[in-house]
Amino acid sequence: MTSPITWLRGAVAATAMSGIALTGAVAQDAPSGDPINVGILHSLSGTMAISETTLKDAMLMLIEEQNAKGGLLGRPLEGVVVDPASDWPLFAEKMRDLVSAQDVAAVFCCWTSVSRKSILPVAEELNTVVFYPVQYEGEESSRNIFYTGAAPNQQAIPAVDYLMEEGVERWVLEGTDYVYPRTTNKILEQYLMDKGVAAEDIKVNYTPFGFSDWQTEVSAIKEFGSTGKKTAVVSTVNGDANVPFYKELANQGIAATDIPVIAFSVGEEELAGIDTGPLVGHLAAWNYFMSVDTPENAAFIEKWKAFIGNDERVTNDPMEAHYIGFNMWVKAVEKAGTTEADAVIAALPGIEVPNLTGGMSTMLPNHHITKPVLIGEINDEGQFDIVSETEELVLGDAWSDFLPESKKLKADWTDPVNCGNYNTETETCGGASAEAK
């Protein structure tokens, strides 16, 4: 007889693209009553599928595990999976359907900032609780969005600091052409110049989503790094464009000892698609790596491999962010005694849950969380050797201290401020949603 868990995984494979509600595995003491629907809005096709499919799978695992514990408020959870297909306007349409038609209590979604910005006005209009699990550019704060990925001060700035300590003097800021790389690089350019880097020692370049013809761009990087000054690439290249990018680096003989690349959007899942031999020594900055040696991480990896039924499947940073965000949501619902959005939003600040690096993550009043910052070096097994880690958890900052228009702003969604872009000089609130203009 087919077990309930085996049946569920078959159902996931057969229906994940259709938007059908999927129920997590039921324990012996099964929760009862009407299910609580949980929205899972991740691209399962298109350029971002390489990164987002795993996040869908991770959410289904977390839902299954919670149901095995008795559900939430005595009710079972159901994951409602939809595929926005790497189509940014479609994210908003699917978001509206999840909330209005599928009646989800929360949505776990998105990878790119353009997809997050697509769903943001819908989330605010329909007053939905949203968890966003990927590093982003900051310069935004929404009452309805909880940012469990890294803000720039939890990834980009520490990465540049690490490279400076390693003697890097020239900088290539290489990114995909959309809001996250452009805003992050704006912050990094200002930060580098504040540190005394000359403008001629900073090169910025953007390519489209899905870009594959990297020969010219990589040649330009090689030439830029040939002046005798130690040069590094800070990469905000996203999605499946990373595979040909790294292949071309290898083709042109750019080793980490020559021009190291530190990536913000390349993790274990992306490396699984390429020969990492020539890339040994290149870097990534995240808040979690699969190679983290803690009991919490070992248990998570074991559960993941058992759930997915494949010992080759890896874990990565955004999966940990969903793990943290989901557990925070569960605790907030239990604290509020309801899934009603206003009550859960009010309950979330101050919630603490374990992360996978051995500490506790806290939801801050600005809807960001506390995170360690790790620098990992690619090894020949497609994993990362951790070469640097912050001594303490870093508090996520919605507004950059390195942009003149932002340094005076703060987000605090608790009373008495209750504002996403509070101006500390004028002591006034700039608006409910607070997106930088």
Side-chain angles (χ1 to χ4, degrees), residues 61-287:
M61 180 186 75
L62 293 168
I63 288 171
E64 177 181 288
E65 186 178 15
Q66 187 64 32
N67 280 339
K69 296 175 183 176
L72 185 57
L73 303 180
R75 297 163 59 189
L77 299 177
E78 287 191 2
V80 184
V81 179
V82 294
D83 176 21
S86 306
D87 181 338
W88 319 132
L90 191 58
F91 271 85
E93 180 182 324
K94 295 292 187 181
M95 179 76 173
R96 186 172 296 277
D97 179 71
L98 280 171
V99 180
S100 298
Q102 305 291 342
D103 193 29
V104 298
V107 178
F108 293 79
C109 83
C110 308
W111 183 289
T112 68
S113 285
V114 67
S115 62
R116 186 195 68 254
K117 287 185 178 293
S118 178
I119 65 94
L120 186 151
V122 180
E124 293 184 340
E125 175 194 343
L126 301 180
N127 195 27
T128 309
V129 180
V130 176
F131 287 85
Y132 177 66
V134 184
Q135 87 287 353
Y136 87 120
E137 70 281 358
E139 307 306 291
E140 174 187 291
S141 180
S142 170
R143 176 179 176 272
N144 294 87
I145 297 182
F146 293 84
Y147 305 81
T148 55
N153 73 306
Q154 295 173 308
Q155 186 188 37
I157 298 298
V160 166
D161 286 341
Y162 173 82
L163 290 174
M164 282 186 166
E165 291 173 2
E166 294 296 305
V168 171
E169 298 178 279
R170 301 201 93 198
W171 304 83
V172 179
L173 308 183
E174 185 76 38
T176 301
D177 192 6
Y178 75 108
V179 62
Y180 162 63
R182 284 191 173 274
T183 306
T184 299
N185 287 340
K186 181 181 178 182
I187 293 169
L188 288 180
E189 279 190 273
Q190 186 62 55
Y191 184 71
L192 289 169
M193 288 188 288
D194 288 348
K195 290 287 187 178
V197 177
E200 59 266 26
D201 287 329
I202 304 172
K203 172 181 170 59
V204 184
N205 187 59
Y206 298 101
T207 53
F209 276 102
F211 189 73
S212 60
D213 187 8
W214 282 95
Q215 185 172 358
T216 300
E217 275 71 21
V218 170
S219 294
I221 291 171
K222 191 173 185 178
E223 181 180 355
F224 188 77
S226 65
T227 65
K229 291 184 177 180
K230 188 171 178 59
T231 302
V233 177
V234 178
S235 173
T236 48
V237 176
N238 238 306
D240 56 8
N242 277 295
V243 175
F245 175 49
Y246 278 88
K247 285 183 177 178
E248 187 58 32
L249 288 171
N251 289 342
Q252 297 198 27
I254 297 180
T257 50
D258 304 321
I259 302 177
V261 177
I262 192 163
F264 301 161
S265 296
V266 172
E268 294 83 349
E269 188 75 7
E270 290 75 19
L271 290 181
I274 57 178
D275 174 16
T276 58
L279 304 182
V280 170
H282 286 301
L283 305 161
W286 290 102
N287 311 106

Side-chain angles (χ1 to χ4, degrees), residues 249-406:
L249 288 171
N251 289 342
Q252 297 198 27
I254 297 180
T257 50
D258 304 321
I259 302 177
V261 177
I262 192 163
F264 301 161
S265 296
V266 172
E268 294 83 349
E269 188 75 7
E270 290 75 19
L271 290 181
I274 57 178
D275 174 16
T276 58
L279 304 182
V280 170
H282 286 301
L283 305 161
W286 290 102
N287 311 106
Y288 163 88
F289 289 107
M290 187 175 181
S291 56
V292 166
D293 185 14
T294 63
E296 296 86 351
N297 190 37
F300 181 79
I301 293 170
E302 182 179 1
K303 290 175 184 177
W304 168 245
K305 290 185 174 182
F307 173 81
I308 210 68
N310 182 349
D311 281 343
E312 300 302 315
R313 287 288 294 274
V314 295
T315 61
N316 62 23
D317 180 284
M319 286 176 64
E320 191 220 18
H322 262 342
Y323 167 84
I324 292 169
F326 178 80
N327 288 329
M328 284 182 165
W329 175 71
V330 167
K331 286 191 71 171
V333 169
E334 291 172 340
K335 177 181 176 182
T338 177
T339 61
E340 193 272 327
D342 288 336
V344 173
I345 290 169
L348 272 162
I351 292 285
E352 291 186 343
V353 300
N355 58 36
L356 297 178
T357 56
M360 298 290 288
S361 286
T362 305
M363 180 60 70
L364 302 170
N366 65 3
H367 290 188
H368 292 66
I369 67 173
T370 57
K371 302 170 80 75
V373 184
L374 312 177
I375 308 295
E377 190 175 277
I378 298 172
N379 61 36
D380 56 10
E381 297 178 352
Q383 289 287 328
F384 292 88
D385 297 324
I386 298 169
V387 296
S388 177
E389 180 176 357
T390 53
E391 293 184 4
E392 298 180 352
L393 299 181
V394 179
L395 281 64
D397 190 2
W399 301 98
S400 175
D401 292 337
F402 306 107
L403 297 178
E405 65 271 25
S406 301

